[in-house]
Amino acid sequence: MQRRNFLKNFGLAGAVFTVPAAVVNAATPRKKQNVDVTNLTLKGRVHSNGKGIAGVAVTDGLNVTTTDKNGNYELLSSNTAEFVYISIPSGYAFPHEKGIAKFFYPINQKDGVFKSDFSLEKLTVDDRKHNFVVWADPQIISEKDATLLKTQSAPDLAELVKSYPKGTLFHGIGCGDLVWDHFELFDDYKQAIEISTVPFFNVIGNHDMDIDARSDEASSRTFKQQFGPTYYSFNRGEIHYVVMDDVFFVGTAKKYIGYLTENQLRWLEQDLAFIKPGSTVVVNVHIPTNTGAARRNGKEEEMGGTVSNRKQLYKMLAPFKAHIMSGHTHVSEKWQEGSIIEHVHGTVCGAWWTGPICSDGTPNGYGVYEVDGSELKWYYKSTGKERGHQLRVYPKGKLNTNPDEIIANVWNWDPQWKVEWYEDGMLKGKMEQRTTLDPWAVELYAGEDMPKKHKFVEPTITDHLFFAKPSAGAKEIKVVATDRFGNIFSDVIRMA
């Protein structure tokens, strides 16, 4: 304020004395810094075999319009816009390049008008039934990691697709941290997607950002070059899918918070305005909007562990049946409140490719979702394991703190599951749920020198462990877990 008044007074006195040359030079920009906000008209057509498709949402990332009855669109934008893209409508195949979804065009900002047509292929099957998978945190940092992704994870997904009836629709969500700051490995990630046989939509993670950027807006430069916009939507059957960027880079290498920018929220308001209330909306982010980590560890919430302004997102999702898909934490967790359920996924890389399990004992793997109309069913697919591998039972003595008890880890558990145990064929009732460490994770990851590959990895406290105390003479223990859909899974151990 003092400086502004000084300059004002200085100007009034200009007739009395001469402004020094140094001041004049300092006030003259050495290089043009103006941002070009000139109006830009985006126009084109969305069609299938030459026939226009009406009602398709088209956006520049700020405003949203829809195509007319002939499939034509026109949107007033500006030269600050980077992409024009569509929300792929239901009933059409997902355009992709070797598995990487292509629903956008980078904008050529020269002539005041940018014309782009989108050609879609109509599906020959009813897409109200379809499946999708969530790959959280492939997080490859080396060629060795990339080889594991391409020779284990990707073939596992390809085999899963083959296990379903021919023609079953699948798509994937790469839920962030596709690589681990090594952008040259994006090519390896793309090769893995091609091997998987599934078209993927991708989410930016904190390890997919340019950490030398001076601001959040600039930190997604490389990701956008590789995969396009960082927030967008698409449709399949009766489900509306949304991808958001909830990793806010604070301008210092590897520092970020969980946060949704106002531009994204404004865009989302417009995007959801075209969706009928009561519909199912699947929102995909990297950082979980919420977790129980603070509660489990008795600490305050970490700014980079959840989304600070998540309640604003929840308000927007309130009219819908919403599923939020996230990763980032390398553990499995679910929470539900009202019409919203969040699925925090165990990771493709497990505990950063150091062993066969995540830090909470969840196997390396991914979420699988089967859609029928507006309803979702799901299970967790452990890499290299059968679909029915949904729990692990530990014998007595695996945890020093509980030497007389057996322990079951049911990693895809939520409060609607039932976990029971049998002793020598006799039902003993429900197991007791406790919050503690997984025994195998302790064995693999606890201690200053473990694991050798990444010593920062530690076992983490989880809610999905269940305990029971067998009789002294028990010979066989069977644990039966029933999920919310009535599917029954079991594991048996023989007592020593």
Side-chain angles (χ1 to χ4, degrees):
M1 194 66 171
Q2 290 177 341
R3 180 177 182 273
R4 186 178 295 115
N5 290 335
F6 167 76
L7 291 175
K8 181 179 178 181
N9 294 333
F10 192 85
L12 291 172
V16 180
F17 60 91
T18 304
V19 178
V23 175
V24 173
N25 291 338
T28 303
R30 292 190 180 93
K31 185 179 179 181
K32 182 180 179 182
Q33 298 293 329
N34 294 339
V35 176
D36 186 359
V37 293
T38 306
N39 286 345
L40 175 70
T41 299
L42 306 175
K43 61 192 306 184
R45 191 164 181 256
V46 182
H47 66 91
S48 179
N49 290 325
K51 184 178 180 180
I53 306 171
V56 178
V58 185
T59 183
D60 61 354
L62 186 61
N63 293 307
V64 183
T65 189
T66 56
T67 55
D68 65 18
K69 63 181 180 180
N70 297 313
N72 297 313
Y73 71 88
E74 185 169 317
L75 179 64
L76 182 62
S77 184
S78 79
N79 277 334
T80 59
E82 297 178 85
F83 300 97
V84 57
Y85 47 106
I86 63 171
S87 184
I88 302 169
S90 298
Y92 293 88
F94 295 141
H96 64 88
E97 185 177 309
K98 296 182 178 179
I100 303 300
K102 296 290 183 182
F103 52 92
F104 58 89
Y105 287 106
I107 294 174
N108 180 334
Q109 303 175 353
K110 289 183 179 179
D111 304 320
V113 175
F114 181 70
K115 190 175 186 302
S116 52
D117 294 342
F118 295 86
S119 178
L120 299 176
E121 178 185 347
K122 197 167 182 61
L123 290 169
T124 58
V125 296
D126 185 351
D127 63 354
R128 287 177 295 181
K129 281 193 174 184
H130 66 270
N131 299 340
F132 68 96
V133 301
V134 176
W135 268 19
D137 303 69
Q139 203 156 341
I140 49 178
I141 198 173
S142 65
E143 286 294 341
K144 185 175 181 180
D145 290 354
T147 298
L148 292 172
L149 184 68
K150 291 186 285 188
T151 61
Q152 295 182 5
S153 308
D156 187 86
L157 177 50
E159 286 300 313
L160 177 74
V161 173
K162 287 181 182 177
S163 72
Y164 282 81
K166 187 176 181 180
T168 300
L169 294 173
F170 265 92
H171 68 274
I173 306 293
C175 213
D177 282 1
L178 313 180
V179 298
W180 192 350
D181 302 322
H182 284 252
F183 294 160
E184 71 275 10
L185 298 176
F186 275 138
D187 284 342
D188 293 274
Y189 172 76
K190 290 180 177 180
Q191 290 168 25
I193 295 307
E194 187 176 6
I195 292 168
S196 80
T197 73
V198 173
F200 265 69
F201 295 84
N202 295 287
V203 181
I204 189 170
N206 53 289
H207 287 292
D208 303 317
M209 300 189 303
D210 297 272
I211 57 177
D212 59 347
R214 68 180 186 179
S215 65
D216 178 64
E217 289 82 356
S219 68
S220 55
R221 180 182 65 252
T222 301
F223 181 91
K224 288 176 179 177
Q225 291 169 353
Q226 296 286 334
F227 303 104
T230 58
Y231 58 95
Y232 53 93
S233 69
F234 59 95
N235 303 274
R236 174 143 280 182
E238 298 179 16
I239 310 298
H240 184 64
Y241 294 87
V242 177
V243 169
M244 302 290 282
D245 170 9
D246 68 350
V247 185
F248 190 92
F249 178 66
V250 298
T252 301
K254 300 188 180 182
K255 299 294 184 182
Y256 56 89
I257 61 173
Y259 182 78
L260 293 166
T261 61
E262 180 64 18
N263 276 355
Q264 287 189 78
L265 295 175
R266 286 178 177 175
W267 169 84
L268 184 60
E269 283 180 323
Q270 296 174 75
D271 179 77
L272 293 178
F274 297 108
I275 307 304
K276 182 181 177 182
S279 300
T280 299
V281 175
V282 175
V283 177
N284 304 275
V285 294
H286 177 61
I287 296 176
T289 66
N290 200 8
T291 74
R295 167 183 53 81
R296 289 190 294 270
N297 292 285
K299 298 179 180 179
E300 290 187 5
E301 215 172 80
E302 294 183 5
M303 291 288 283
T306 57
V307 176
S308 300
N309 58 341
R310 58 181 175 263
K311 289 185 179 180
Q312 302 305 317
L313 175 64
Y314 298 162
K315 288 178 183 178
M316 297 168 68
L317 296 177
F320 309 98
K321 292 185 293 184
H323 293 262
I324 300 174
M325 308 293 170
S326 58
H328 185 59
T329 62
H330 294 248
V331 301
S332 292
E333 183 176 359
K334 289 183 174 54
W335 63 264
Q336 185 168 4
E337 184 176 328
S339 61
I340 299 175
I341 181 169
E342 180 157 10
H343 310 253
V344 185
H345 293 82
T347 55
V348 173
C349 73
W352 297 267
W353 300 106
T354 58
I357 59 173
C358 299
S359 58
D360 67 340
T362 300
N364 301 3
Y366 49 95
V368 184
Y369 296 82
E370 299 174 333
V371 180
D372 187 354
S374 63
E375 299 300 319
L376 274 63
K377 292 183 178 180
W378 56 85
Y379 62 93
Y380 187 83
K381 177 63 175 68
S382 304
T383 303
K385 301 290 186 180
E386 296 297 321
R387 171 175 173 167
H389 183 62
Q390 298 295 320
L391 71 157
R392 183 188 309 114
V393 180
Y394 297 103
K396 292 191 299 183
K398 276 296 183 178
L399 272 186
N400 293 335
T401 53
N402 306 85
D404 298 324
E405 295 179 294
I406 62 157
I407 306 168
N409 190 330
V410 187
W411 41 81
N412 207 34
W413 175 87
D414 66 55
Q416 293 191 30
W417 282 59
K418 180 172 62 175
V419 183
E420 301 170 299
W421 69 293
Y422 292 76
E423 181 180 283
D424 296 329
M426 181 177 295
L427 176 62
K428 303 295 287 186
K430 292 183 179 180
M431 298 183 73
E432 182 182 345
Q433 181 189 10
R434 296 184 200 156
T435 300
T436 187
L437 299 173
D438 174 82
W440 196 10
V442 171
E443 182 180 319
L444 291 175
Y445 307 136
E448 293 183 0
D449 297 325
M450 297 290 287
K452 291 183 179 180
K453 184 174 181 178
H454 296 303
K455 291 184 173 57
F456 68 84
V457 175
E458 290 288 338
T460 50
I461 297 172
T462 180
D463 292 321
H464 47 73
L465 293 176
F466 298 83
F467 291 73
K469 186 174 181 179
S471 303
K475 295 182 173 62
E476 181 183 272
I477 301 297
K478 179 180 181 180
V479 175
V480 176
T482 306
D483 71 10
R484 60 163 58 205
F485 309 112
N487 299 307
I488 298 173
F489 310 100
S490 64
D491 193 15
V492 177
I493 57 171
R494 297 286 300 177
M495 304 295 286

